[in-house]
Amino acid sequence: MERFNNKKILLSLIIAIPFFFGGFIPNETMMPAFRMKKIVLDAGHGGSDPGNIGSRAREKDINLAVTLLVGKYIKENMPDVEVIYTRDDDSYPTLKQRPNIANVNKADLFVSIHSNSAPNRAAYGTETFVMGTKHFEANFDIVKKENSVILLEENYEEEYEGFDPTSPESYMMFNLMQKAYIGNSITLADQIETQFRDKVGRKSRGVKQGPFYVLWTPSMPSVLVELGFLSNSEEERFLMTKEGQEYMASAIYRSIKEYKNQIEVN
């Protein structure tokens, strides 16, 4: 009889545990749902740094125009998302300041917008980069070009702790910093390239990896978008038009919206 009573007591305790401790046992229904609340938009170059120069266009101007349009579309159609610009005029935040703005504001996404150039004037198309060193040698020229703007800054050797953007050996420091965010970064990059190709009709050169300084330190998913080649007269002409800028900005906006919907569902 005593043994039977002990079994009843034990069974009662097992049944009672969820009622007593349910509030302390984490489960998916109790976890707060993730919401993308802040995005930092970074218009590449600016101020004394014009970026790539075409026959008529300067990269810094194209980047700023498209970036401001992306921000405008987000504000109009995604009122629950705060837009923060690294620059909204012809100023030059340093490569270190740009991702730091995202980190200080605890942003959920960092998007850096650029325009490309190549010695081969026939080169054209869009490409979106995530942080990584895959196919490093193939992408080294564009990585070196974007990172070399630090050479325009005072005390850059001290500020960037000896990092030399022209030396392949310096890139060994770009290690696992962004590994935690690579999946979501690729998801957004793929959305952007799909929009460019399918909705705007641009040639997509695909999603690529590159050790860009602005993608190295953000504590959130991050991408660097190349809108096209200013060295290609046809693409330069397209990117200089208001219509072209609106098409590219709307494609990036739609990608961000789709990305937000996707990660918030999951």
Side-chain angles (χ1 to χ4, degrees):
M1 178 63 70
E2 181 179 351
R3 186 177 177 183
F4 177 75
N5 288 335
N6 289 340
K7 283 187 177 180
K8 285 181 63 179
I9 293 171
L10 180 61
L11 181 61
S12 299
L13 286 172
I14 292 172
I15 294 173
I17 284 174
F19 294 97
F20 286 110
F21 299 104
F24 302 96
I25 300 175
N27 58 63
E28 291 185 3
T29 60
M30 295 167 61
M31 296 288 286
F34 173 79
R35 291 291 180 264
M36 195 177 84
K37 298 177 180 178
K38 292 182 184 179
I39 177 171
V40 168
L41 299 177
D42 173 45
H45 306 278
S48 60
D49 171 25
N52 292 313
I53 299 176
S55 61
R56 292 181 295 158
R58 297 180 301 181
E59 180 186 357
K60 68 174 185 176
D61 301 326
I62 301 293
N63 298 345
L64 181 60
V66 173
T67 299
L68 292 177
L69 282 171
V70 175
K72 174 177 177 286
Y73 297 149
I74 293 174
K75 290 177 181 179
E76 290 175 349
N77 300 287
M78 300 167 66
D80 56 328
V81 176
E82 179 184 355
V83 175
I84 300 168
Y85 299 106
T86 59
R87 70 179 182 99
D88 56 9
D89 55 18
D90 189 23
S91 57
Y92 175 73
T94 68
L95 280 193
K96 180 171 276 190
Q97 289 171 336
R98 295 170 191 263
N100 192 51
I101 290 171
N103 289 335
V104 167
N105 284 281
K106 294 182 171 57
D108 301 303
L109 195 62
F110 178 82
V111 178
S112 188
I113 297 176
H114 293 254
S115 305
N116 221 331
S117 182
N120 178 8
R121 295 185 178 275
Y124 71 103
T126 66
E127 49 195 10
T128 302
F129 286 85
V130 300
M131 179 63 202
T133 55
K134 188 177 181 180
H135 305 306
F136 172 69
E137 292 184 1
N139 297 324
F140 182 59
D141 284 344
I142 182 173
V143 169
K144 179 174 64 174
K145 187 188 305 179
E146 295 292 359
N147 288 336
S148 290
V149 299
I150 71 171
L151 302 178
L152 303 175
E153 301 173 22
E154 294 184 7
N155 302 320
Y156 74 87
E157 292 178 327
E158 180 179 345
E159 185 69 16
Y160 292 90
E161 300 175 340
F163 170 67
D164 179 0
T166 66
S167 169
E169 289 75 18
S170 281
Y171 290 88
M172 294 177 65
M173 63 188 286
F174 291 79
N175 45 34
L176 302 178
M177 185 71 77
Q178 271 284 325
K179 189 172 182 180
Y181 309 106
I182 187 68
N184 281 359
S185 298
I186 291 174
T187 295
L188 175 60
D190 187 63
Q191 290 281 0
I192 292 171
E193 286 302 310
T194 299
Q195 285 285 335
F196 284 159
R197 183 186 67 239
D198 295 349
K199 300 298 184 181
V200 189
R202 310 307 295 173
K203 172 183 168 60
S204 171
R205 297 164 65 96
V207 175
K208 300 181 178 182
Q209 292 187 16
F212 295 92
Y213 201 95
V214 292
L215 298 182
W216 182 40
T217 55
S219 300
M220 73 254 355
S222 307
V223 299
L224 186 147
V225 183
E226 294 283 2
L227 300 169
F229 286 77
L230 298 183
S231 49
N232 181 295
S233 58
E234 183 180 338
E235 283 206 318
E236 178 189 31
R237 188 162 48 248
F238 172 75
L239 291 173
M240 286 182 68
T241 66
K242 184 68 174 175
E243 183 181 57
Q245 293 167 6
E246 288 174 345
Y247 278 143
M248 300 305 280
S250 61
I252 297 172
Y253 151 71
R254 287 192 300 270
S255 304
I256 292 170
K257 184 176 181 180
E258 181 62 30
Y259 167 83
K260 180 178 185 293
N261 292 338
Q262 186 173 343
I263 63 171
E264 289 185 350
V265 167
N266 295 335

